[in-house]
Amino acid sequence: MITTEDEARDWLRALPECDGAAMERLELLVAMLAEENQRQNLVSAASLDQVWLRHIVDSAQLLPHVPRETSTPWMDLGTGAGFPGLVIAALRPECEVVMVESRNRRIEWLERARIAMGLDRASIAGQRLEMIESRPVSVISARAFAPLDKLLELSSRFSTSDTVFLLPKGRSASQELDDLRKWRHVFHVEQSLTDPQAGIIVGTLADGKGRTR
């Protein structure tokens, strides 16, 4: 379990994706986040004291669950302040990362951060997920986007049988998975590295849409 800012940075540096350029992009993101948070409440002020643990590593820990060669395109639902979307894009700048966010001020922030970080392969889909044209993606992530069943209802049209779902769910992960009845899936819960009481739902839908009849 990672518990301190120093441990968080050390864990990041050990990631194969985290070279010097990636660390510079993340340092820039942290600085921009602290500044922007004075203008709009992107993240809780208290969490900025542990920003590397609570936001950067909490996002980056999704990467080891997806092989590099199958991680694009990556769709991040309800990106908000850019977690995990901006962090994934910073660590894998060659990956097409589509960040779905409908709130105007969040969209403006994400675009400024994306440009400043030089993330040419990242983009912001600035509308509700329901309005976005269907397309197959390799990864779907979502951090505090919707309850699991609702999330699958909204996102299954973007998935194939190979699409990996990465869904940080906090303390509710196991319960939400236990309560899931209408979907044929191959999901399991991984322990979060940043919170001993949190889990990440990882897996695929059995045949893309995966809905039982």
Side-chain angles (χ1 to χ4, degrees):
M1 191 63 56
I2 303 167
T3 60
T4 69
E5 290 292 86
D6 286 341
E7 290 174 357
R9 285 171 175 267
D10 288 344
W11 184 89
L12 270 173
R13 293 189 185 100
L15 270 184
E17 296 88 352
C18 193
D19 57 15
M23 201 66 184
E24 287 181 9
R25 288 189 288 268
L26 292 172
E27 294 274 8
L28 177 59
L29 173 59
V30 167
M32 291 182 67
L33 179 69
E35 181 179 352
E36 183 65 20
N37 216 54
Q38 298 178 34
R39 290 188 283 269
Q40 60 170 312
N41 188 34
L42 291 173
V43 298
S44 71
S47 72
L48 288 176
D49 291 336
Q50 291 187 305
V51 65
W52 290 94
L53 174 67
R54 296 275 298 277
H55 299 297
I56 306 301
V57 169
D58 191 63
S59 298
Q61 68 175 320
L62 301 183
L63 280 174
H65 298 294
V66 185
R68 179 185 286 269
E69 62 273 13
T70 61
S71 64
T72 188
W74 183 309
M75 177 176 277
D76 185 39
L77 311 181
T79 298
F83 305 113
L86 284 176
V87 175
I88 300 303
L91 290 164
R92 287 193 180 166
E94 77 289 349
C95 178
E96 180 189 357
V97 177
V98 180
M99 292 172 275
V100 180
E101 176 55 53
S102 62
R103 292 168 290 182
N104 287 335
R105 294 188 72 191
R106 297 291 198 276
I107 294 167
E108 293 168 0
W109 149 253
L110 291 167
E111 186 64 15
R112 287 200 307 274
R114 181 193 70 80
I115 292 171
M117 295 165 70
L119 301 176
D120 297 332
R121 294 278 290 158
S123 63
I124 296 92
Q127 55 192 143
R128 294 181 62 85
L129 183 61
E130 298 92 320
M131 304 301 295
I132 297 174
E133 184 177 351
S134 298
R135 60 175 293 199
V137 300
S138 294
V139 181
I140 295 174
S141 62
R143 192 188 194 210
F145 176 69
L148 182 57
D149 188 64
K150 179 66 171 178
L151 188 155
L152 295 179
E153 290 275 4
L154 293 171
S155 65
S156 64
R157 63 191 176 93
F158 300 97
S159 73
T160 71
S161 58
D162 295 321
T163 300
V164 178
F165 285 79
L166 299 172
L167 310 173
K169 280 290 184 178
R171 301 177 184 182
S172 69
S174 294
Q175 188 61 55
E176 287 195 50
L177 191 53
D178 288 344
D179 291 343
L180 194 63
R181 296 286 182 265
K182 296 182 294 185
W183 299 87
R184 294 187 298 273
H185 63 83
V186 188
F187 288 155
H188 67 280
V189 176
E190 292 281 348
Q191 172 64 53
S192 168
L193 299 178
T194 61
D195 183 342
Q197 297 183 337
I200 304 165
I201 294 175
V202 179
T204 60
L205 291 179
D207 59 1
K209 287 190 179 301
R211 189 70 181 266
T212 59
R213 303 302 180 191

